[in-house]
Amino acid sequence: MSPRRAAAGGTIDRSRPVGFTFDGVKMSGHEGDMLASALLANGVLLVGRSFKYHRPRGIFAAGADEPNALVTVLRDGIREPNIPATQIELHEGLRVESQNRFPSLDYDFGALAQLAGPLLSAGFYYKTFMGPVAGPLKGTRLWMFCERFIRRAAGLGRADHKPDPARYERMNAFCEVLVVGGGVAGLMAAEAAAKSGKRVILAEQEPRLGGMARWSGEEIGSKPAREWAEGLAARLARMDNVQVLSRTTVWGYYDGNTLAALERVGDHLPRRPGDMPRHRHWTIRAAKVILATGSIERPIVFPGNDRPGIMLAGAAMRYAAEYGVLPGEKIAIFTNNDSAYRAATVLKAAGASIAAIIDVRKEISTAAQALAGEAGVVPLLGHAVVGTSGKRLQRVILRRFDPQTGLVSGDSRPISADFLAVSGGWSPAIHLASQAGGKPRWDDFLQAFLPPVPQQDWSGAGALTGGMTTAAALKTGRSAGRAAAGQKPSRARLPQTEEPGLDPSPAPVLEIRAGGKAFVDFQHDVTADDVRLAHREGFVSVEHLKRYTTLGMATDQGRTSNVPGLAILAEARGISIPEAGTTRFRPPYSPVPIGALAAERHRHFKPDRLTPMHDWHLEHGARMMEAGLWHRPQIYGQAGETVEQAYVREAKAVREAVGIVDVSTLGKIAVKGPDAAEFLDRVYTNIFSTLKVGRARYGLMLREDGIALDDGTTWRLGEHDFLMTTTTANAGKVMQHLEYYLDLVWPELRVHLTSVTDQWAGAAVAGPRSRDVLEACISGTGIDDETLPFMGIVHGEIDGAPVMVCRLSFSGELAYEVYCGAGHGIHVWEALMEAGGPFGIAPYGMEALGALRIEKGHVTGAEIDGRTTARDLYLDWMLSKKKPFIGSALMDREGLIDKGRIRLVGIVSLDDRPLGGGAHIVEDSTSEGLGTSIGHITAFCYSPQLERYIGLALVKGGKARHGTRARVSDPLRDRFGPVEIVSHHFFDPEGKRMHG
Amino acid sequence: MAEYSALSLLKNAFSGNRGWKPAWRKASPKPAYDVIVVGGGGHGLATAYYLAAEHGIRKVAVLEKGWLGSGNIGRNTTIVRSNYLLPESIRFYDHSVKLWENLSHQLNYNVMFSQRGVLNLAHSPAQVDDYIRRGNAMRHEGGDGIWLSPAQIARYAPGVDVSSSARFPVVGGLLQPRAGTARHDAVAWGYARAADRLGVDIIENCEVTGFLRDGDEITGVATSRGDIRGKKVAVAVAGSTGRVMKLAGIENLPIESHVLQAFVSESIKPFVDCVVTFGAGHLYMSQSDKGGLVFGGSLDLYNSYAQRGNLPLVEEVMSEITAMFPAVAKLRLLRSWGGVMDMSMDGSPIITKGPLPGMYLNCGWCYGGFKATPASGYSFAWTIAKDEPHPINAPFTLSRFERGVIIDEKGQGPTPKLH
Amino acid sequence: MLISCPHCGPRDLAEFTYQGDATRTRPDLASTDTAAWHAYVYERPNPAGLHREYWQHSGGCRSHLLVVRDTVSHEIASAKFARKAREMIG
């Protein structure tokens, strides 16, 4: 008989059908169903295939603990694999597929793996595939060949490569009390804290609050527990100082009481409204945390325990009581504790017949006896299930069992049943508590781990703390809530509960050893024998066990397998469970979509930095390129031009007439104060205190270890007022470098630093006609040689906008850098363009800028790469001998002045073919193979001036090689050929043009 | 002890797998050894193995504070590669790759080394030059490196966002085909088993509490299981180097301990075949044989000895992965964990004799320890046995900082968190 | 992790830049004692336990803080302006 929907009962709305498909088959459930309950109601017992042996598996649990029933959700044109059917809220049009089967769930070729079962025991992969010493499969090749097939068989669901179209959102929240878990204890805690006026967030992973009260069938405060919980939840939702988050899993407990939570905002809706994110990633910083995370039922391990039709007793009870689903007609119960007796009565009341209650214990509580009577059976005490049969469960096989010795005896006895509900007791859900730090404590009475002594500011309530009754949940919930709010314990009466007085202590029996495959970790197919084999091979620490067998490493994070696995290991080692230890729980508590964690950065990643002239560049045909976060014009291409043709045209314009380039991205730092000059003397290798007001100087900085850090010009605008420029890439780094010294090393210096990169827009106007351009548009200042000599600074106006102009040159031409407030940037730029029109002004991009600087032999980040010294770059003339500076103490260490270091040179292609950045240089005598590298090319271009391909390179020996031939060796681009090593000052080495 | 093979597996399968013996003996400490290796992680175990296998030194003890392989050997993202820039690094790590290629056979233990390739994506012209320089450096040192265009990348690693609409469009990539992944735990277990078979004593749950000295000279260690004398004492405890060396009176080292997080997604069918790194951030991703996507990013960026990470870094890594592989957004993060790294002052390791007489030090592995395991063990054993370095570890001295002969792959200088 | 900036209040870790060990003393500007410079630049005590370290509130007021933090538990014992702390020592 298949499972079916009971005629009545549960919280589903039988008047509202919901259509969905499973493996393409149309089915129907009801509003309020989970996919798991709807599948059961449609008679579906086989839902998935296991990881290793591809064994048929059914729904085993309810909620987040499900190990077996993982499905792939098809939505918005993408595949989302590995979602537990127990966590998917049924909605119209839901489409899901089963996983890890071929060609179909019923007939799966992968199940052949079961034939090789004994071979595929723990450690199998480590013991073979080693490969021969010689031949085509030598070394690791044999493994790589086999691995391809192994990988195809492994894995669970299939994901596609389509981008995820969903939108995710991030939320930061602060509260005084965060309550995790919306069961009875959590509700009470939230209410108690909220009544004291505290700002409370209550998070519950399920769609609805109430936890077990929703299906326990108990009474609280003379009302059905569900009604009581719903009433309290509604009251909390109405309070201004309480935020109730349902469908929200708190999954991480980080340092400083920072918790991470995932809110599934829109997954349960047939269609999300346009502005609704799919998920919301919460970072909650809470002054106090109350963990009311409840407990998790665990199974007993016995042969044949993974057959579809076997389920945790608490889950079976929940499907019947909350969803009105009968998972079987004739139900057997197998337990080591009282809680399953309650499941028996609920299942009976829902219309099933109870075939038997099989209990490993020899004696049970009177409450359990009474419940057994209610269920209409006499429990078979001192018995255990030793096997099962049927494609879907048809029979369970029993034998006598001695809980003292763990031995089975007597004859096998089959019992006919189409469903088996199992309970091995309950483990507090200590995951978050363990993430917060500390070691869990074993409790013999509950046969479970209790949370560690808090290392952060949290307290526990409800089943987490070992209080397994509803009365205990009410009491500990309220007291935790009051304590978190700084209130004394209340003397007021708690609501009365009507619940059976069950014994919470299970028998210490978690495995029945009777031969045959008995699964501990269902999803990863780890059997009890695997655990014992690992022990036999010496993998006796819990971590070794986990790693050797993969126990507890599946998507359910071993929620149901953790304690049984430990129990088997402890038994094998002849020690107690706490002596065997437990593994550390790590975030996340349950899997979190990666997109949700990326949140608003999904598909954006990093902010874009755009200069004030960005739109102009685009409108004028610029092709943009990445420079850190900045976007900069690479070239302003014209129709039909190659990149090289474009930059050669632009560079020629600069050398022959005038060009303009956007330099707004340069780092700019205002250095002000009476000691500003002294400060600059310390951070630059050269002297700035002698710089006159109204003049600029090129400066070089080293790191403390004597390696070059950055270069740029610094302008003295006033006696105590400097404007420093840095390279685009190092702007932030240099700022932090300066702040570090000012704050921590020389706090006595009266200097203030302000980053003004974004406040200034900058344009460099370069070329023999640059003065003409400026003259045509600037007012309020002269720009003749007298007023504005090389490295001089003037202030004026361009078309009404105040500007500051410095005559300096990166291109080697007569050139001016024009700075104005960023808001005027586009205005000034356009004015310069207009003024330049008659002189043939051309905007130029990074490629032309690069070509011009290479011709001049100026260094940039490609040469100042964090490994080169000032000497390597022939900038030793900038190392002042008159004063110490950052880096001066260590820059002369033997390794930094070694003759074999690579140093800056120029190179010329002798075969008239382009060179390439990153190509290596080898000696000309190289005859065989690639030869030994003596350096590499840092930058290259076609030089319109030399009409050759030239480059800068760092080569061993540097200057000593000038005039010699070498070879470029670029195997990655298959480019080899002769080059000549020359001075890096290719063009106008005396600098006549820029001075002229 | 039985050889592992398909045949032994078959025989055992028919006898209920009852014939398997412990992979290594649970040895108890003897009073004295020729060499004591402090640290039962990958490097310590490999060192012990090569001491016995290559140099015939078999009176060796490996002392491990906790369970064998409990440090970074079992916490890394399992990447093996030698795609380095500087010749010293390339030579060392390429030697390692060569040892990896035959390691399973040599150890009679499948460490699952799989040469699935490591692909570094480049996103700007400057980065292209940088990676090409690196690839060419590898080629000139006899290694392998190939340049791929965006179109080739799209074919080689489907799912990588090579579109021009990406925030940092991919402009090329450096592929090292011989690089790949291995099964991290198996490396520790394989070396342990092989070393054990050569007579090495592997002693777990044995914490070193002090060093025995004769004047300046180190003559053994005090442990939680008693004093043990050793003619030579070798320390290979990356992650805890500071703590252990303090016991020997070495208060300062060019090392900071930092935490590095690693992540794994749920298991899915084959999704990405090679290891891919994202050049616009700091991210590396591959897929394990079990099907989980394994990835990691940058350090948590502050000194730490705690194997626990922080949330902002998790968010950063996840946003990088969705930028590189937009399809991954819908997959789910299953687990995260942290390991403690020895971050050195130039990002390169230290494998040396000293700093005290009778002592040998192997530390400073930064992110690079896993892939280095064979070469580190090999060259450290050489240094211990011969009292002089092997050519591959000769540059990796402790004195290089004083001398300014630094090996700075990233060009970040003495700021450990940036390496 | 939250760091209490004396100027801005408790702020998330993500707003700060770690600037490392705060126990080192930079030799005098003009010092030529190479050993002292080497120790300052390269040597770290790297303790497991309480660590004096600098953090810059780079996403806030940009002050450098002297933070005492446990490198094993990550618990922060104190955080104050580094500049003032230095002035008080010196």
Side-chain angles (χ1 to χ4, degrees):
Chain A
M1 186 65 204
S2 290
R4 62 175 170 81
R5 183 83 67 184
T11 55
I12 50 151
D13 185 347
R14 283 183 173 72
S15 69
R16 294 172 69 185
V18 176
F20 69 101
T21 66
F22 176 66
D23 278 342
V25 179
K26 284 190 179 151
M27 296 184 183
S28 175
H30 294 291
E31 190 75 32
D33 256 326
M34 301 302 279
L35 174 63
S37 60
L39 285 171
L40 286 169
N42 279 275
V44 177
L45 264 182
L46 173 60
V47 180
R49 291 272 173 173
S50 66
F51 188 85
K52 188 154 104 182
Y53 300 124
H54 289 245
R55 285 170 74 98
R57 293 281 166 77
I59 294 160
F60 188 72
D65 309 334
E66 176 60 40
N68 285 339
L70 305 185
V71 297
T72 297
V73 177
L74 310 173
R75 184 169 178 154
D76 300 334
I78 60 162
R79 304 174 59 84
E80 195 186 358
N82 301 344
I83 312 297
T86 51
Q87 285 191 296
I88 299 170
E89 290 177 66
L90 201 69
H91 53 263
E92 188 61 42
L94 172 69
R95 285 167 62 216
V96 298
E97 268 182 9
S98 59
Q99 306 185 149
N100 204 30
R101 79 291 187 267
F102 179 82
S104 76
L105 189 53
D106 274 320
Y107 304 97
D108 174 21
F109 287 154
L112 292 170
Q114 289 178 63
L115 298 177
L119 204 59
L120 293 176
S121 56
F124 164 77
Y125 294 106
Y126 304 122
K127 293 172 184 159
T128 183
F129 306 112
M130 270 77 87
V133 195
L137 293 178
K138 74 179 160 92
T140 205
R141 302 257 151 220
L142 172 66
W143 164 246
M144 287 169 64
F145 176 75
C146 301
E147 189 191 26
R148 269 186 279 166
F149 303 99
I150 292 166
R151 283 168 86 95
R152 270 178 231 166
L156 292 162
R158 188 162 57 81
D160 54 43
H161 283 130
K162 287 188 205 154
D164 180 358
R167 193 170 72 78
Y168 299 94
E169 202 168 84
R170 175 196 312 274
M171 188 72 93
N172 283 288
F174 302 84
C175 63
E176 285 158 305
V177 181
L178 168 66
V179 181
V180 184
V184 170
L187 287 167
M188 284 299 282
E191 188 194 35
K195 275 184 172 170
S196 312
K198 296 291 174 189
R199 283 180 299 142
V200 176
I201 294 178
L202 170 61
E204 165 57 48
Q205 62 179 347
E206 299 258 346
R208 286 165 282 273
L209 279 75
M212 281 192 186
R214 299 189 60 79
W215 64 88
S216 67
E218 295 171 5
E219 286 190 2
I220 302 176
S222 312
K223 283 185 207 165
R226 181 191 298 152
E227 219 172 277
W228 175 88
E230 282 171 352
L232 179 48
R235 284 203 300 286
L236 286 169
R238 282 195 298 270
M239 292 176 79
D240 285 342
N241 57 333
V242 179
Q243 183 163 23
V244 178
L245 299 172
S246 58
R247 301 187 176 90
T248 302
T249 305
V250 178
W251 57 264
Y253 200 137
Y254 289 91
D255 290 328
N257 258 17
T258 301
L259 289 92
L262 176 79
E263 182 186 3
R264 289 172 294 276
V265 184
D267 277 354
H268 62 291
L269 300 174
R271 196 164 290 111
R272 278 195 302 277
D275 57 346
M276 181 187 272
R278 180 179 173 220
H279 294 160
R280 193 172 285 131
H281 162 50
W282 289 78
T283 302
I284 304 172
R285 293 171 186 87
K288 307 262 181 200
V289 174
I290 296 171
L291 298 177
T293 46
S295 58
I296 293 168
E297 191 170 22
R298 60 221 187 182
I300 299 173
V301 178
F302 58 87
N305 61 339
D306 69 328
R307 209 171 293 282
I310 301 176
M311 188 187 285
L312 288 168
M317 170 173 155
R318 182 171 176 189
Y319 286 114
E322 192 173 14
Y323 305 106
V325 170
L326 263 187
E329 288 285 308
K330 211 174 160 197
I331 295 177
I333 312 266
F334 179 36
T335 186
N336 69 357
N337 71 94
D338 279 8
S339 70
Y341 287 77
R342 215 153 51 145
T345 60
V346 170
L347 291 164
K348 165 94 177 173
S353 73
I354 304 302
I357 297 179
I358 303 132
D359 196 324
V360 297
R361 298 175 296 178
K362 292 208 161 139
E363 286 166 25
I364 55 170
S365 68
T366 48
Q369 285 168 20
L371 289 172
E374 212 177 296
V377 286
V378 177
L380 294 160
L381 300 182
H383 276 76
V385 176
V386 297
T388 60
S389 68
K391 188 179 173 192
R392 294 170 176 192
L393 186 74
Q394 288 178 334
R395 253 181 306 279
V396 294
I397 297 137
L398 319 182
R399 290 183 75 185
R400 288 202 164 278
F401 179 80
D402 183 345
Q404 243 66 51
T405 60
L407 296 175
V408 290
S409 61
D411 292 336
S412 298
R413 184 170 140 203
I415 288 185
S416 164
D418 64 359
F419 188 80
L420 176 62
V422 184
S423 179
W426 297 75
S427 296
I430 59 173
H431 307 70
L432 286 177
S434 162
Q435 284 183 33
K439 278 208 170 100
R441 299 162 293 154
W442 177 255
D443 185 90
D444 253 340
F445 180 74
L446 290 174
Q447 287 288 301
F449 284 100
L450 289 177
V453 175
Q455 315 270 305
Q456 299 203 49
D457 206 342
W458 66 266
S459 57
L464 174 74
T465 59
M468 295 295 179
T469 62
T470 304
L474 289 166
K475 190 171 168 223
T476 56
R478 186 174 73 180
S479 61
R482 288 184 66 85
Q487 305 276 322
K488 289 200 196 97
S490 166
R491 296 229 184 96
R493 284 175 70 96
L494 284 160
Q496 283 288 325
T497 61
E498 188 64 48
E499 57 183 322
L502 300 175
D503 176 4
S505 179
V509 174
L510 285 161
E511 189 208 359
I512 309 301
R513 290 183 69 171
K517 267 205 167 67
F519 288 87
V520 186
D521 183 319
F522 288 85
Q523 198 182 116
H524 270 170
D525 280 339
V526 180
T527 65
D529 280 344
D530 285 327
V531 176
R532 276 185 279 274
L533 173 58
H535 167 257
R536 209 172 301 136
E537 296 192 85
F539 295 92
V540 296
S541 106
V542 182
E543 283 289 342
H544 280 155
L545 172 68
K546 179 177 110 178
R547 288 154 185 267
Y548 196 62
T549 65
T550 74
L551 174 75
M553 296 179 85
T555 61
D556 62 328
Q557 296 265 35
R559 273 196 272 283
T560 56
S561 63
N562 182 23
V563 173
L566 268 176
I568 296 166
L569 176 69
E571 198 260 322
R573 290 182 66 183
I575 57 176
S576 68
I577 291 179
E579 283 172 304
T582 182
T583 61
R584 186 164 169 178
F585 291 100
R586 297 184 178 279
Y589 164 71
S590 61
V592 185
I594 288 163
L597 294 169
E600 81 286 350
R601 283 187 272 182
H602 172 43
R603 321 268 317 165
H604 298 285
F605 182 44
K606 286 278 156 82
D608 293 287
R609 292 188 82 177
L610 309 177
T611 75
M613 290 81 99
H614 182 79
D615 291 344
W616 189 96
H617 302 320
L618 294 183
E619 282 159 23
H620 291 79
R623 176 159 139 187
M624 306 301 282
M625 60 182 265
E626 313 286 333
L629 297 180
W630 291 101
H631 294 259
R632 302 189 72 178
Q634 183 188 13
I635 51 164
Y636 296 83
Q638 295 178 357
E641 267 184 341
T642 63
V643 171
E644 185 180 296
Q645 285 164 343
Y647 80 72
V648 167
R649 173 181 49 74
E650 292 169 13
K652 268 188 177 164
V654 174
R655 295 267 185 248
E656 290 164 11
V658 59
I660 182 167
V661 62
D662 184 351
V663 293
S664 306
T665 61
L666 287 183
K668 294 172 278 290
I669 300 168
V671 184
K672 297 189 183 188
D675 295 322
E678 167 67 19
F679 179 61
L680 293 176
D681 277 352
R682 296 184 189 185
V683 298
Y684 276 123
T685 63
N686 46 336
I687 296 182
F688 275 77
S689 49
T690 57
L691 185 65
K692 291 195 184 72
V693 173
R695 302 300 288 265
R697 185 168 284 169
Y698 174 62
L700 176 70
M701 289 181 202
L702 306 186
R703 293 192 311 232
E704 201 72 90
D705 63 353
I707 301 287
L709 170 66
D710 198 53
D711 66 346
T713 57
T714 284
W715 312 5
R716 191 163 202 170
L717 305 177
E719 184 61 26
H720 300 156
D721 183 1
F722 291 82
L723 179 68
M724 173 189 283
T725 67
T726 75
T727 58
T728 299
N730 283 335
K733 198 173 178 175
V734 169
M735 181 70 188
Q736 276 194 324
H737 176 77
L738 301 182
E739 286 175 324
Y740 181 91
Y741 283 91
L742 209 49
D743 227 10
L744 301 178
V745 183
W746 306 309
E748 70 279 7
L749 292 185
R750 293 160 301 166
V751 179
H752 191 82
L753 301 168
T754 313
S755 167
V756 292
T757 302
D758 291 320
Q759 279 65 33
W760 292 101
V765 184
R769 307 303 299 272
S770 57
R771 183 180 282 140
D772 300 328
V773 175
L774 224 56
E775 244 163 21
C777 61
I778 200 161
S779 60
T781 177
I783 54 161
D784 52 288
D785 260 334
E786 200 79 355
T787 325
L788 184 55
F790 184 62
M791 294 309 249
I793 302 160
V794 294
H795 296 265
E797 272 188 11
I798 290 179
D799 202 12
V803 296
M804 182 161 65
V805 179
C806 181
R807 181 174 156 195
L808 53 80
S809 176
F810 192 53
S811 57
E813 296 300 319
L814 173 69
Y816 303 87
E817 280 190 9
V818 180
Y819 279 169
C820 63
H824 295 146
I826 184 63
H827 181 72
V828 170
W829 177 274
E830 283 180 336
L832 286 165
M833 282 304 296
E834 199 185 322
F839 307 102
I841 194 166
Y844 62 102
M846 298 301 294
E847 293 288 346
L849 186 82
L852 294 164
R853 74 101 182 173
I854 292 168
E855 287 180 336
K856 286 297 294 177
H858 287 319
V859 294
T860 64
E863 294 81 27
I864 303 184
D865 67 353
R867 283 173 289 265
T868 46
T869 65
R871 285 191 187 82
D872 295 341
L873 305 175
Y874 294 102
L875 293 174
D876 22 340
W877 57 274
M878 296 187 71
L879 304 174
S880 170
K881 292 195 173 63
K882 295 186 188 139
K883 51 136 198 173
F885 49 86
I886 293 173
S888 60
L890 292 182
M891 67 180 186
D892 291 330
R893 285 176 291 165
E894 57 173 277
L896 299 184
I897 53 173
D898 189 85
K899 293 238 168 2
R901 290 183 67 84
I902 52 176
R903 304 185 70 180
L904 185 66
V905 296
I907 47 165
V908 178
S909 166
L910 296 181
D911 58 7
D912 285 332
R913 288 161 59 208
L915 300 164
H920 280 237
I921 306 290
V922 296
E923 283 181 336
D924 197 31
S925 54
T926 300
S927 54
E928 272 175 49
L930 292 174
T932 305
S933 167
I934 56 166
H936 64 277
I937 297 176
T938 56
F940 92 100
C941 67
Y942 179 79
S943 164
Q945 293 308 306
L946 280 69
E947 296 186 323
R948 318 195 68 159
Y949 287 99
I950 62 168
L952 297 177
L954 290 164
V955 168
K956 274 183 189 167
K959 227 174 214 174
R961 290 189 192 261
H962 283 184
T964 67
R965 281 172 64 119
R967 298 184 67 77
V968 60
S969 177
D970 190 353
L972 256 67
R973 287 176 291 212
D974 202 22
R975 163 77 171 98
F976 304 92
V979 291
E980 186 182 356
I981 296 176
V982 297
S983 162
H984 56 283
H985 299 296
F986 290 98
F987 179 66
D988 185 25
E990 298 83 28
K992 283 183 192 144
R993 296 174 70 92
M994 63 185 182
H995 289 100
Chain B
M1 191 176 293
E3 284 286 325
Y4 287 161
S5 67
L7 192 65
S8 69
L9 270 166
L10 206 58
K11 277 201 282 196
N12 268 285
F14 284 113
S15 61
N17 281 312
R18 285 199 188 82
W20 297 115
K21 295 282 183 295
W24 61 90
R25 293 167 293 126
K26 304 283 161 195
S28 293
K30 297 190 184 87
Y33 291 92
D34 287 344
V35 178
I36 294 172
V37 179
V38 182
H43 292 229
L45 292 164
T47 303
Y49 167 75
Y50 290 112
L51 278 170
E54 298 281 330
H55 305 283
I57 302 174
R58 298 186 174 204
K59 284 172 72 180
V60 175
V62 177
L63 310 183
E64 169 53 46
K65 179 175 82 167
W67 43 276
L68 184 142
S70 52
N72 293 332
I73 187 73
R75 293 175 189 279
N76 58 77
T77 48
T78 79
I79 298 167
V80 174
R81 59 181 178 87
S82 59
N83 53 359
Y84 280 78
L85 175 69
L86 303 173
E88 296 86 346
S89 312
I90 299 172
R91 283 168 209 154
F92 182 88
Y93 289 102
D94 219 48
H95 189 92
S96 210
V97 170
K98 286 184 187 128
L99 291 171
W100 275 109
E101 282 170 339
N102 214 23
L103 194 58
S104 296
H105 181 83
Q106 196 169 7
L107 300 181
N108 181 233
Y109 204 91
N110 183 11
V111 299
M112 305 185 199
F113 178 45
S114 179
Q115 295 176 295
R116 47 189 58 258
V118 170
L119 173 63
N120 307 128
L121 302 177
H123 306 264
S124 69
Q127 201 163 34
V128 169
D129 287 0
D130 210 40
Y131 285 2
I132 289 204
R133 175 186 169 193
R134 177 139 61 103
N136 280 328
M138 289 152 62
R139 293 284 288 270
H140 281 92
E141 289 295 334
D144 59 328
I146 300 171
W147 189 253
L148 299 186
S149 68
Q152 288 170 311
I153 289 167
R155 280 196 298 276
Y156 188 79
V160 169
D161 187 357
V162 293
S163 71
S164 56
S165 64
R167 172 64 185 88
F168 294 98
V170 172
V171 289
L174 174 62
L175 172 68
Q176 186 186 19
R178 282 164 65 237
T181 57
R183 169 87 182 103
H184 56 11
D185 288 324
V187 179
W189 302 336
Y191 272 119
R193 177 169 168 274
D196 175 88
R197 296 209 296 182
L198 295 172
V200 169
D201 280 355
I202 294 165
I203 306 162
E204 290 174 85
N205 301 307
C206 179
E207 182 175 1
V208 170
T209 55
F211 285 83
L212 307 180
R213 342 180 41 139
D214 181 1
D216 246 6
E217 178 143 3
I218 299 292
T219 57
V221 289
T223 78
S224 54
R225 297 173 70 173
D227 287 359
I228 309 172
R229 305 228 151 245
K231 289 178 188 154
K232 298 180 175 185
V233 176
V235 177
V237 293
S240 298
T241 305
R243 283 201 264 203
V244 171
M245 293 303 282
K246 275 191 178 50
L247 301 174
I250 308 287
E251 292 296 331
N252 292 297
L253 283 169
I255 284 174
E256 285 183 2
S257 299
H258 285 258
V259 93
L260 177 67
Q261 298 192 61
F263 308 89
V264 64
S265 81
E266 293 177 340
S267 222
I268 49 171
K269 293 290 177 193
F271 181 83
V272 55
D273 200 43
C274 60
V275 182
V276 194
T277 76
F278 182 52
H282 192 162
L283 175 85
Y284 30 96
M285 178 175 113
S286 62
Q287 186 169 18
S288 76
D289 286 332
K290 275 196 321 208
L293 301 178
V294 181
F295 39 99
S298 118
L299 295 169
D300 278 14
L301 299 177
Y302 44 81
N303 282 46
S304 175
Y305 282 94
Q307 287 165 339
R308 59 189 265 121
N310 69 47
L311 185 57
L313 199 278
V314 178
E315 293 163 349
E316 170 66 26
V317 169
M318 300 308 141
S319 60
E320 290 192 24
I321 199 165
T322 61
M324 180 167 83
F325 261 101
V328 171
K330 61 187 177 260
L331 303 178
R332 308 201 295 171
L333 174 69
L334 175 62
R335 197 165 41 244
S336 66
W337 63 96
V340 180
M341 310 285 122
D342 264 15
M343 298 306 297
S344 73
M345 290 290 153
D346 61 357
S348 295
I350 294 158
I351 315 168
T352 187
K353 189 180 170 184
L356 298 172
M359 180 185 251
Y360 301 79
L361 180 61
N362 177 321
C363 64
W365 286 100
C366 301
Y367 287 49
F370 178 67
K371 62 177 119 29
T373 306
S376 166
Y378 182 86
S379 64
F380 196 35
W382 179 292
T383 307
I384 297 162
K386 298 184 185 283
D387 273 321
E388 62 179 29
H390 186 274
I392 61 166
N393 70 312
F396 298 100
T397 61
L398 185 57
S399 68
R400 68 178 184 268
F401 301 103
E402 269 162 87
R403 292 183 291 118
V405 197
I406 35 202
I407 306 163
D408 189 345
E409 282 283 327
K410 288 198 178 162
Q412 294 290 357
T415 307
K417 66 170 186 175
L418 298 178
H419 288 295
Chain C
M1 204 149 86
L2 287 176
I3 299 175
S4 282
C5 171
H7 187 267
C8 309
R11 289 290 186 274
D12 190 81
L13 168 78
E15 291 185 13
F16 295 85
T17 306
Y18 183 62
Q19 293 288 22
D21 183 291
T23 60
R24 298 167 298 140
T25 314
R26 192 173 188 271
D28 181 68
L29 198 57
S31 165
T32 53
D33 179 350
T34 329
W37 278 105
H38 172 260
Y40 171 69
V41 174
Y42 289 110
E43 302 265 290
R44 301 286 188 278
N46 193 28
L50 287 184
H51 189 229
R52 289 164 63 83
E53 58 197 25
Y54 293 128
W55 289 80
Q56 186 187 17
H57 194 189
S58 46
C61 60
R62 294 194 77 86
S63 303
H64 286 83
L65 309 183
L66 175 65
V67 174
V68 180
R69 185 182 58 96
D70 191 311
T71 58
V72 179
S73 69
H74 294 170
E75 203 169 316
I76 293 175
S78 68
K80 47 191 160 193
F81 285 128
R83 199 160 174 153
K84 290 223 174 93
R86 272 188 58 90
E87 279 162 6
M88 278 157 66
I89 298 165

